[in-house]
Amino acid sequence: MNKDQVKGHFEEAKGKVKEVAGKILDDKEMELKGNVQKNVGKAQAVVGNAKEDIK
């Protein structure tokens, strides 16, 4: 597992927490930011997976 995979999964988890908190608090901006952060984390993890596959 490389650092892109780890960072990506971590950002994905943080984004999910932020997204759920936004839903609970009825804060659409927080929910949207969490969703974006979650998707950026997924993308970073995919890049890490690709790097790992190339090795």
Side-chain angles (χ1 to χ4, degrees):
M1 187 168 258
N2 62 37
K3 74 177 184 178
D4 283 321
Q5 288 171 313
V6 172
K7 283 183 177 181
H9 290 298
F10 183 67
E11 286 300 314
E12 187 177 350
K14 284 186 351 184
K16 182 65 179 173
V17 168
K18 195 180 287 185
E19 183 181 19
V20 170
K23 285 181 183 178
I24 290 170
L25 299 172
D26 197 31
D27 184 342
K28 297 294 181 190
E29 185 178 349
M30 182 187 289
E31 187 177 341
L32 179 63
K33 285 181 180 180
N35 191 330
V36 169
Q37 186 175 13
K38 179 179 73 173
N39 290 324
V40 167
K42 280 184 183 180
Q44 188 173 10
V46 167
V47 169
N49 291 340
K51 284 182 179 179
E52 199 66 28
D53 289 342
I54 291 172
K55 284 185 181 178

